[in-house]
Amino acid sequence: MFNQFAKYYRPYRKLFVIDFSCAILAAFLELLFPAAVNRIIDTVLPQADLSLILIVSVILFVLYIFNMFLNYIVVTIGHRLGINIETDLRRELFAHYQKQSYHYFDKHKTGELMSRITTDLFDISELAHHGPEDIFITLMTLIGAFILMLRVHAELAIITVLLVPLLAMVFIYFNRKMVRINRKIFSNLGQFTAGIQNSLSGIRVVKAFANEMFEKENFENLIQGYRKQKLNYYQTMGSSSSFNYIMMRLINLFALLAGSFYTLRGEISIGEMVGFILLSNVFIRPIEKINAMLELYPKGYAGFKRFQEVLAQEPDIVDKEDAIDAPAFLGEITYTNVHFAYEKDVPILKNINLKIHAGENVAFVGPSGAGKTTIVNLLPRFYEVDEGSIKIDGIDLRDMTMESLRKQIGIVQQDVFLFGGTIRENVLYGRLDASEDEVEQAIKAARLEEVVADLPAGLDTQIGERGVRLSGGQKQRLSIARIFLKNPAILILDEATSALDTKTEQFIQQSLEKLSQGRTTLVIAHRLATIKNVDRIIVVNQEGIVEDGSHDELLALNGQYAALYNAQFGKRGD
């Protein structure tokens, strides 16, 4: 665990050395001040030389100013070190998320993932800043103060620190308890964030069903669960803090009583007694810091532990070491004995064999849950086949890098996802390096010109979160413009018009037909009227592919496609 954490300091060695050196020097000066006061009282004060006292005071003041400067460096440089490491952790975690397949995101809530990459890392940052220096300076100060106390009076020093071993045992007990509690808090925080994100993102559904009270009750359960864990944590911290306080005050009291005793017996001078009491304060200051560390370390440790657990979840789909960049596709697709299951022992696809010719327009139809979307989602390797192979132009998908593969596949879905921002930014997402002229051509091809012309800021119009300011048809046209700009060799249309009204659907269908020209196109559709003119129709059910042919051929076959068609239109027709 230590080695894993230590590697994040390597890029910032200089910052760490500056921070650590200043912290050590500041701690050393703290040890020096009691000794200086001791000398002043016993050596300078009896001389009754006010000018000498003034000179010594000025020297001490300069040292205090210098120590103030050191503390400033420790705070600013130390926190810079912490935020740099936090940024690196956040970057690494985000990159890890980017590598994951669809299957990973099927299992994890968005709010939970957001919690891991935001709040979980705050305490790790503080631990990165304070962790090493606090431990080292605490040990150095404790040992240094104790040695100086021994030099004043051995018996007095030993009496003063008798309670420290007991204090250390208490620290260890509370530290372990608070680590356990903090891990529960982090776990609850992920659920808490996921619950809030779910409620807020679905606020329109909440209002449509007038379920505000139900959501309030759910929210109350979430915050009460989180509150309970936090109260448990603070109760433990309060017990620890209270016990530590009385133990540290006892150390001060022992120093005062025993010091007075030995002073009255003439074994130490008044200056040595005062210096010793100041040393005892220096001695307990790191113990007070340990009390603060007791709050910080469990949080940082638990956060880093969870961070490591997330990184330990290796992506289930990765590029082969010798994977090649995909060549420009012609678009011939071959499925050979393909088997796939989302969950073990629950097969979705069994022994799928299919060949699609380059430039062919193929539609998949069948009942919901039959595996139509799964078949096309295997093509960009959003999921990995369990058995068999899928090839494009004779090259196995697994022999190509995923980036080069997906750059040549375009997808238009029923549930269009648009990013918060402008129309231009969303179209450019199809190809980030496209020119202004290419963006305008894509908008014309998608028949989005009139929409843009009517908007107040044209292409720079803000469309809101997920494109909330646009209608369903406008969002769909924007997604089509994005694909026109991408210009893929293979196109997937996943029920792209099923959520639109008939007039808008016909309009969008014309854009999709233009988009499909010259590309291998895979269409998933429930409305059979939209696929009558495709080259082939593949009928899929729980048994796999059961029919394959043109619209007329399948109607003449009078099988499952004919049954689906008759169910939608009531009778056969063209």
Side-chain angles (χ1 to χ4, degrees), residues 5-209:
F5 194 60
K7 73 178 184 180
Y8 293 99
Y9 287 90
R10 288 172 192 151
Y12 310 106
R13 292 186 186 92
K14 290 182 179 179
L15 285 179
F16 178 75
V17 169
I18 293 171
D19 174 46
F20 205 67
S21 301
C22 290
I24 292 172
L25 187 54
F28 176 77
L29 288 175
E30 285 296 318
L31 291 172
L32 180 65
F33 293 137
V37 171
N38 178 358
R39 292 292 182 184
I40 291 170
I41 293 175
D42 283 348
T43 307
V44 179
L45 200 58
Q47 298 181 30
D49 188 343
L50 190 58
S51 60
L52 183 58
I53 294 174
L54 185 60
I55 292 170
V56 172
S57 298
V58 169
I59 293 172
L60 280 176
F61 177 72
V62 170
L63 290 175
Y64 283 134
I65 294 294
F66 180 61
N67 208 25
M68 179 189 74
F69 176 71
L70 291 174
N71 280 293
Y72 171 80
I73 292 176
V74 169
V75 172
T76 54
I77 297 296
H79 279 101
R80 184 185 300 177
L81 172 67
I83 193 62
N84 285 346
I85 290 175
E86 180 185 336
T87 301
D88 289 347
L89 293 171
R90 190 165 283 125
R91 184 184 298 112
E92 184 176 358
L93 190 55
F94 185 76
H96 183 73
Y97 285 161
Q98 297 280 69
K99 294 176 184 176
Q100 300 297 332
S101 69
Y102 273 24
H103 191 63
Y104 179 86
F105 296 100
D106 292 342
K107 295 189 297 182
H108 294 85
K109 298 176 182 177
T110 303
E112 182 182 351
L113 298 177
M114 288 171 58
S115 176
R116 300 290 168 269
I117 206 168
T118 52
T119 50
D120 274 21
L121 300 184
F122 295 153
D123 293 314
I124 301 178
S125 173
E126 286 298 300
L127 179 62
H129 168 210
H130 295 289
E133 70 183 42
D134 280 359
I135 292 174
F136 186 84
I137 291 170
T138 295
L139 291 173
M140 187 190 84
T141 306
L142 284 172
I143 294 170
F146 183 61
I147 291 173
L148 291 175
M149 290 162 70
L150 281 173
R151 293 184 62 185
V152 174
H153 197 281
E155 290 182 21
L156 180 56
I158 293 170
I159 291 173
T160 304
V161 299
L162 278 177
L163 296 175
V164 172
L166 178 60
L167 198 57
M169 292 173 62
V170 173
F171 282 151
I172 293 171
Y173 167 76
F174 281 112
N175 184 67
R176 289 179 176 174
K177 188 172 182 179
M178 291 170 79
V179 165
R180 290 195 300 269
I181 295 171
N182 264 299
R183 296 199 69 183
K184 291 181 181 178
I185 289 174
F186 278 126
S187 177
N188 283 353
L189 185 59
Q191 298 173 14
F192 176 70
T193 307
I196 295 174
Q197 192 267 343
N198 198 43
S199 295
L200 292 179
S201 61
I203 192 66
R204 289 170 178 77
V205 177
V206 173
K207 290 183 175 296
F209 285 89

Side-chain angles (χ1 to χ4, degrees), residues 338-339 347-353 365-372 375 539-547 560:
V338 170
H339 293 252
I348 301 297
L349 302 177
K350 293 178 289 186
N351 201 33
I352 298 296
N353 289 279
V365 301
S368 297
K372 304 184 298 296
I375 289 174
V539 183
V540 183
N541 65 14
Q542 282 73 15
E543 302 299 319
I545 296 175
V546 292
E547 294 179 7
Q560 293 200 24

Side-chain angles (χ1 to χ4, degrees), residues 289-453:
K289 182 171 284 189
I290 291 173
N291 195 33
M293 288 160 58
L294 189 61
E295 178 183 357
L296 171 65
Y297 276 56
K299 287 183 179 179
Y301 178 86
F304 190 67
K305 190 74 174 174
R306 289 183 66 82
F307 172 80
Q308 283 193 306
E309 288 170 358
V310 173
L311 291 186
Q313 299 175 34
E314 292 294 334
D316 56 345
I317 302 177
V318 295
D319 288 334
K320 292 168 60 176
E321 287 187 9
D322 58 349
I324 63 170
D325 286 338
F329 289 153
L330 297 175
E332 182 180 274
I333 303 169
T334 307
Y335 290 74
T336 306
N337 300 324
V338 170
H339 293 252
F340 176 77
Y342 291 106
E343 301 295 337
K344 192 176 181 181
D345 300 327
V346 186
I348 301 297
L349 302 177
K350 293 178 289 186
N351 201 33
I352 298 296
N353 289 279
L354 176 65
K355 184 167 184 178
I356 300 170
H357 300 291
E360 198 170 25
N361 199 330
V362 177
F364 294 84
V365 301
S368 297
K372 304 184 298 296
T373 300
T374 303
I375 289 174
V376 298
N377 277 340
L378 292 174
L379 190 60
R381 291 186 75 192
F382 292 151
Y383 300 94
E384 193 80 290
V385 297
D386 296 327
E387 295 180 36
S389 68
I390 304 174
K391 295 180 179 180
I392 298 177
D393 297 341
I395 306 173
D396 195 303
L397 301 183
R398 291 164 291 197
D399 293 332
M400 298 179 271
T401 64
M402 283 183 282
E403 182 181 4
S404 64
L405 169 68
R406 292 170 183 172
K407 280 186 179 296
Q408 298 193 62
I409 299 176
I411 304 172
V412 180
Q413 297 173 311
Q414 173 188 353
D415 183 19
V416 177
F417 184 91
L418 299 176
F419 294 93
T422 65
I423 289 180
R424 175 184 279 104
E425 289 167 345
N426 274 277
V427 174
L428 275 170
Y429 209 79
R431 184 157 54 86
L432 298 174
D433 60 350
S435 67
E436 184 71 16
D437 184 59
E438 287 173 320
V439 171
E440 290 178 0
Q441 290 300 319
I443 288 171
K444 287 180 183 177
R447 302 191 175 189
L448 196 62
E449 280 180 293
E450 293 180 6
V451 175
V452 173

